Amino acid sequence: MTKRVLALFDVDGTLTVARKAVKVGTVGGSDLAKQLEQLGKTVLEDFDFVFAENGLVAYEAGKLLAVQSIAKHLGEESLQRLLNFMLQYLSGIELPVKRGTFIEFRKGMLNVSPIGRNCCQEERDAFEVYDLKHGIRAKFLEVLKEKFADLDLTYSIGGQISFDVFPKGWDKTYCLRYVREQFDEIHFFGDKTFEGGNDYEIFESPETIGHTVNGPADTIAQTTKLFL
């Protein structure tokens, strides 16, 4: 019997589109619009599975499977309490530059960026270096964990400039509910597989075989060795 194998890829810092001999899918923290921007407008056709927002927005064979809502889950009162505090905290952060869109409201999560998502690539790169030195995002997360312990939320750093906030259990392992019965083996490739990174939970999951990559070229090298 032929083994049924699925390869799931993080998007930022991990993926380039390539034809593989196994079923393939993306699982990113960003919304579908950003996956279309990064991977091309035919992403729903190019991949067997596309999981946006950690799988809270799920597609199979180009068709929508399910959508989950953080607003409905938390309720408006708790959501506004969280948003108001984050906006206040963000206003007190001093950085070399600040731009716009500091909190992006998504269906399944809040994406928070101290520098603002409207920064250019040069500013993104500079913030990533600055953040590694000063721990801007890490300090913010610790404050939120203490302040909102009652909401049972998870906080994870992903990409260069932001972190995600979502209900516990709504990390990238959420997408596995749609594929676990279909495959004998599920591989996951990601670059933020360290504890606190947004690939950590699915990388460590007993349901996956996790692979840490350090960029698209490394992703190609590892998948070629494994599958081709």
Side-chain angles (χ1 to χ4, degrees):
M1 182 180 294
T2 302
K3 184 181 289 187
R4 301 169 300 170
V5 178
L6 172 67
L8 291 173
F9 298 87
D10 167 49
V11 179
D12 290 338
T14 299
L15 188 66
T16 56
V17 179
R19 299 288 181 182
K20 299 292 184 289
V22 298
K23 294 281 188 178
V24 294
T26 68
V27 51
S30 295
D31 57 22
L32 179 63
K34 289 185 175 59
Q35 290 205 36
L36 293 170
E37 179 184 323
Q38 290 176 276
L39 302 175
K41 294 183 179 180
T42 59
V43 65
L44 293 176
E45 302 167 17
D46 294 336
F47 293 89
D48 301 290
F49 297 91
V50 175
F51 298 116
E53 303 185 40
N54 292 348
L56 299 168
V57 180
Y59 289 85
E60 180 179 3
K63 296 181 179 180
L64 182 66
L65 288 177
V67 177
Q68 185 57 274
S69 166
I70 188 173
K72 183 178 179 180
H73 180 85
L74 290 181
E76 193 61 33
E77 183 179 347
S78 294
L79 179 61
Q80 286 199 33
R81 180 162 63 95
L82 176 62
L83 286 168
N84 289 341
F85 179 83
M86 291 195 297
L87 288 167
Q88 183 180 35
Y89 187 97
L90 285 163
S91 70
I93 297 176
E94 293 187 6
L95 299 171
V97 299
K98 274 188 173 181
R99 296 299 177 249
T101 311
F102 300 100
I103 301 178
E104 186 173 83
F105 186 86
R106 299 175 181 171
K107 288 184 179 68
M109 68 178 70
L110 303 174
N111 179 262
V112 185
S113 175
I115 187 176
R117 298 196 64 88
N118 295 108
C119 60
C120 67
Q121 187 61 51
E122 182 180 352
E123 292 163 342
R124 292 173 69 96
D125 295 340
F127 175 80
E128 184 176 30
V129 174
Y130 187 89
D131 184 52
L132 286 171
K133 181 178 180 181
H134 298 282
I136 301 299
R137 290 182 288 180
K139 291 175 184 176
F140 198 169
L141 294 191
E142 290 307 308
V143 173
L144 290 171
K145 288 176 183 178
E146 181 178 353
K147 181 75 174 177
F148 296 96
D150 62 304
L151 297 185
D152 203 25
L153 296 170
T154 297
Y155 308 87
S156 68
I157 294 173
Q160 293 180 288
I161 63 170
S162 65
F163 62 87
D164 297 326
V165 182
F166 47 87
K168 190 166 290 184
W170 288 20
D171 52 64
K172 288 184 179 178
T173 60
Y174 192 93
C175 75
L176 297 177
R177 68 190 60 202
Y178 300 114
V179 296
R180 58 169 59 100
E181 300 299 328
Q182 298 185 47
F183 297 96
D184 305 305
E185 198 172 274
I186 300 173
H187 294 257
F188 173 77
F189 300 81
D191 65 319
K192 296 289 192 302
T193 56
F194 52 84
E195 188 169 3
N198 68 350
D199 298 324
Y200 176 76
E201 289 83 4
I202 192 169
F203 175 80
E204 288 288 330
S205 171
E207 295 188 82
T208 68
I209 300 171
H211 306 270
T212 302
V213 300
N214 57 27
D218 188 32
T219 303
I220 293 173
Q222 291 197 39
T223 53
T224 298
K225 185 177 180 180
L226 278 168
F227 304 129
L228 299 181

